[in-house]
């Protein structure tokens, strides 16, 4: 159970602060059930989630984990995407996003980065699926890293982009 003041990762929303744990007095809802009142860190609004929800939640990573993760970026392998259908590509990216694992988010970013380089060589642009999942992975990963490292999302993005570019020839997994 999380406590008031904890910062957690909630589903696809990303970083949220637990503002309160309370019973809701709303018609049609069990008034004895406790809910987390979550306040998204990077968006306005409140999210009320039952304590016994099956929706993914986890604590944010610790600063030392974030630094270790960033240093691991050059060793994280990308996905092999040769001849992959649009649907399979979307399913693969969705799988990585839904694990809520920072390494999987980096894997998405590195894969899209490599596809972008290949597309540019052929004088093409990235596809809409790649762009959409790149943005989602960036929002989730950079939001969490910025929060725990006390940086802006832009500072984290620059740092992570530099680490990805340091990789050189990226191994395929």
């Amino acid at each position: 159970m999380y406590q008031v003041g904890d910062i957690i990762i909630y589903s696809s929303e990303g970083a949220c602060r637990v503002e309160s744990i309370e019973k809701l007095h709303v018609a049609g809802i069990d008034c004895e059930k406790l809910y987390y009142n979550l306040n998204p860190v990077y968006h306005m609004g409140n999210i009320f989630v039952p304590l016994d929800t099956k929706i993914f939640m986890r604590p944010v990573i610790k600063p030392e984990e974030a630094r270790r993760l960033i240093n691991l970026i050059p060793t994280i392998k990308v996905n092999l995407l040769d001849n992959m259908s649009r649907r399979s590509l979307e399913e693969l990216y969705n799988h990585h996003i839904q694990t809520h694992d920072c390494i999987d988010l980096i894997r998405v970013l590195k894969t899209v980065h490599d596809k972008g380089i290949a597309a540019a060589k052929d004088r093409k642009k990235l596809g809409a699926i790649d762009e959409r999942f790149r943005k989602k992975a960036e929002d989730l990963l950079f939001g969490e890293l910025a929060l725990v490292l006390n940086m802006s999302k832009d500072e984290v993005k620059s740092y992570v982009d530099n680490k990805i570019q340091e990789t050189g020839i990226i191994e395929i997994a």
Side-chain angles (χ1 to χ4, degrees), residues 1 14-15 20 28 33 54 56 60 63 72 79 90 100 108 115-116 120 128 140 147 171-172:
M1 186 167 152
S20 63
K33 192 171 199 172
K54 302 288 185 222
F56 182 86
V60 293
L72 282 176
N79 293 297
E90 191 163 10
H100 305 282
V108 169
K115 284 186 74 177
L140 293 170
L147 192 63
E171 298 177 33
I172 306 294

Side-chain angles (χ1 to χ4, degrees), residues 54-140:
K54 302 288 185 222
I55 297 174
F56 182 86
M57 290 190 283
R58 70 166 168 79
V60 293
I61 62 176
K62 305 233 180 297
E64 57 274 7
E65 292 175 88
R67 287 187 279 281
R68 183 185 60 76
L69 179 70
I70 290 170
N71 288 329
L72 282 176
I73 289 173
T75 67
I76 296 171
K77 298 180 181 189
V78 300
N79 293 297
L80 182 59
L81 303 177
D82 291 343
N83 302 319
M84 189 174 274
S85 71
R86 289 177 52 151
R87 181 174 183 200
S88 295
L89 178 64
E90 191 163 10
E91 286 173 1
L92 177 69
Y93 286 156
N94 248 329
H95 167 75
H96 286 315
I97 296 290
Q98 291 175 358
T99 67
H100 305 282
D101 183 279
C102 293
I103 289 178
D104 281 341
L105 297 175
I106 291 169
R107 188 167 284 122
V108 169
L109 294 175
K110 286 182 72 168
T111 300
V112 172
H113 175 265
D114 280 8
K115 284 186 74 177
I117 289 172
K121 284 180 184 175
D122 293 339
R123 298 178 193 255
K124 295 181 180 177
K125 291 183 178 181
L126 276 175
I129 292 171
D130 298 300
E131 287 289 354
R132 184 177 47 160
F133 282 97
R134 178 196 54 78
K135 171 123 178 60
K136 186 66 175 169
E138 282 181 352
D139 284 346
L140 293 170

